[in-house]
C-alpha cells in the first residue's frame, strides 16, 4: 500500500475541515428559526433583472457558452438550472426568454427543458425553436451568434452563464453600448477575469454555482453558501500564514 505524501495529507485535511464546517453550519441552520443568509450579488441580480424585464416588457437574452465543445465538464450544465428558473418565472412575459449555446448536446438539452416546462404549464404553444437552441458551433461561432442577437431592441438584459473564452467580453462590451444590464458567470478563471470589468454583475469563484438560486433559498442552500464563506476565510488565513512563514525562512 503506497504511503500518503504531504500533499495527500494536506488534501485530506482540507476535505475533513470542509465536511466539518458544512456539518456544523447545517446543524445551526436547522436549529435556527430564521434565515439571514445574504446571497451573492450575481444571484440577487438575476432576480432583479427578472422583475425589471417583466415591468418593461423586454426579453432576457441568455447564452450558455460552448457547452461540452471544449471539455465535458458538469459545470456546463449549471446554466440549464438557471434557464429553468427564468422560464418558470416568465411564462406570461411579453417577450419569451431566448437561450443560445455553442454545442449540439447542450442545445438539445436546453430545447427539451424548455419544451417540458411549457408543456407542464399547459402552454404547449409556448416553446419556439428559434428561442432556444444552437447559436453557433464552437466558442467563436457561439460568440458570433450572440453578437448578432445583442443589438435587438426587445432585449431587456443579458445573462452569460457557462463555459466561455475570454473573447466573450466583446458581447459584454456591445451590450454596454446598448445600455443592457449584463450578468456574467463563467466557469473558466481567465474568462471570469476578462468579464469582471465589463459585466454589470459578475460571479467569481464558487459564486458561479450560486447564480441559479432565488432570493429565498432553502435552508440547505444557505448552509452550503455559509460553509463556503467560512472556508474562504480559513483558506485566506492559511495562505497568509504560509506566506509569513515563507518570508521568515521556515519553509
Amino acid at each position: 500500500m503506497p504511503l500518503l505524501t504531504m500533499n495527500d495529507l494536506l488534501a485530506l485535511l482540507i476535505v475533513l475541515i470542509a465536511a466539518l464546517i458544512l456539518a456544523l453550519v447545517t446543524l445551526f441552520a436547522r436549529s435556527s428559526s430564521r434565515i439571514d443568509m445574504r446571497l451573492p450579488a450575481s444571484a440577487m441580480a438575476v432576480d432583479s433583472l427578472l422583475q425589471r424585464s417583466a415591468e418593461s416588457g423586454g426579453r432576457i437574452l441568455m447564452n450558455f457558452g460552448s457547452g461540452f465543445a471544449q471539455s465535458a465538464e458538469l459545470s456546463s450544465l449549471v446554466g440549464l438550472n438557471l434557464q429553468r428558473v427564468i422560464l418558470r418565472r416568465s411564462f406570461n412575459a411579453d417577450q419569451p426568454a431566448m437561450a443560445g449555446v455553442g454545442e449540439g448536446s447542450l442545445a438539445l438539452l436546453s430545447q427539451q427543458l424548455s419544451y417540458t416546462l411549457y408543456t407542464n404549464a399547459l402552454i404547449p404553444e409556448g416553446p419556439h425553436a428559434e428561442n432556444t437552441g444552437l447559436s453557433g458551433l464552437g466558442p467563436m461561432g457561439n460568440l458570433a451568434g450572440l453578437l448578432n442577437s445583442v443589438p435587438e431592441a426587445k432585449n431587456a438584459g443579458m445573462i452569460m452563464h457557462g463555459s466561455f473564452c475570454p473573447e466573450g467580453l466583446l458581447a459584454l462590451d456591445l451590450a454596454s453600448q446598448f445600455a443592457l444590464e449584463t450578468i456574467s458567470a463563467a466557469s473558466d478563471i481567465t474568462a471570469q477575469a476578462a468579464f469582471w470589468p465589463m459585466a454589470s454583475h459578475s460571479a467569481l469563484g464558487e459564486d458561479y454555482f450560486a447564480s441559479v438560486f432565488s432570493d429565498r433559498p432553502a435552508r440547505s442552500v444557505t448552509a452550503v453558501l455559509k460553509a463556503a464563506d467560512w472556508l474562504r476565510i480559513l483558506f485566506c488565513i492559511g495562505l497568509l500564514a504560509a506566506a509569513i512563514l515563507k518570508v521568515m525562512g521556515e519553509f
Side-chain angles (χ1 to χ4, degrees), residues 128-163:
H128 299 283
E130 63 272 15
N131 291 333
T132 306
L134 194 65
S135 59
L137 288 174
M140 293 297 105
N142 178 58
L143 177 59
L146 180 59
L147 290 174
N148 188 53
S149 301
V150 169
E152 296 182 8
K154 50 187 168 184
N155 292 329
M158 182 177 70
I159 300 176
M160 298 174 63
H161 197 295
S163 177

Side-chain angles (χ1 to χ4, degrees), residues 48-58 60 89-90 93-94 156:
S48 178
L49 179 58
L50 282 169
Q51 295 181 11
R52 279 193 293 274
S53 64
E55 294 171 356
S56 64
I60 295 180
R89 295 183 56 180
S90 57
D94 296 336

Side-chain angles (χ1 to χ4, degrees), residues 56-79:
S56 64
R59 179 184 71 180
I60 295 180
L61 177 63
M62 297 180 290
N63 192 276
F64 303 132
S66 55
F68 305 116
Q70 292 180 307
S71 59
E73 297 179 354
L74 291 177
S75 58
S76 300
L77 296 173
V78 179

Side-chain angles (χ1 to χ4, degrees), residues 5-91:
T5 64
M6 181 60 68
N7 290 337
D8 295 333
L9 293 175
L10 182 59
L12 181 60
L13 178 62
I14 292 175
V15 171
L16 293 176
I17 292 176
L20 178 61
I21 292 178
L22 180 58
L24 292 176
V25 172
T26 303
L27 181 63
F28 176 78
R30 289 181 177 179
S31 61
S32 178
S33 59
R34 63 189 181 94
I35 299 177
D36 56 357
M37 178 66 195
R38 183 180 63 84
L39 288 174
S42 57
M44 299 175 67
V46 171
D47 183 75
S48 178
L49 179 58
L50 282 169
Q51 295 181 11
R52 279 193 293 274
S53 64
E55 294 171 356
S56 64
R59 179 184 71 180
I60 295 180
L61 177 63
M62 297 180 290
N63 192 276
F64 303 132
S66 55
F68 305 116
Q70 292 180 307
S71 59
E73 297 179 354
L74 291 177
S75 58
S76 300
L77 296 173
V78 179
L80 294 180
N81 195 31
L82 179 62
Q83 180 186 357
R84 178 185 61 82
V85 172
I86 291 177
L87 289 181
R88 290 184 62 180
R89 295 183 56 180
S90 57
F91 283 139

Side-chain angles (χ1 to χ4, degrees), residues 2 10 15 20 22 35 54 99 110 124 170 203 208 219 232 247:
L10 182 59
V15 171
L20 178 61
L22 180 58
I35 299 177
S110 178
L170 295 175
Y208 169 79
R219 294 182 184 274
R232 287 178 182 144
V247 172

Side-chain angles (χ1 to χ4, degrees), residues 178-241:
F178 287 89
L180 293 180
E181 183 177 1
T182 54
I183 302 173
S184 70
S187 59
D188 185 72
I189 297 178
T190 56
Q192 289 183 13
F195 291 178
W196 179 74
M198 299 299 303
S200 305
H201 309 277
S202 184
L204 301 176
E206 296 84 0
D207 288 349
Y208 169 79
F209 299 96
S211 300
V212 298
F213 300 140
S214 63
D215 57 342
R216 289 182 177 86
R219 294 182 184 274
S220 59
V221 173
T222 60
V224 171
L225 295 175
K226 178 64 82 173
D229 287 341
W230 279 107
L231 286 174
R232 287 178 182 144
I233 295 173
L234 292 178
F235 287 157
C236 290
I237 294 175
L239 291 173
L240 181 61

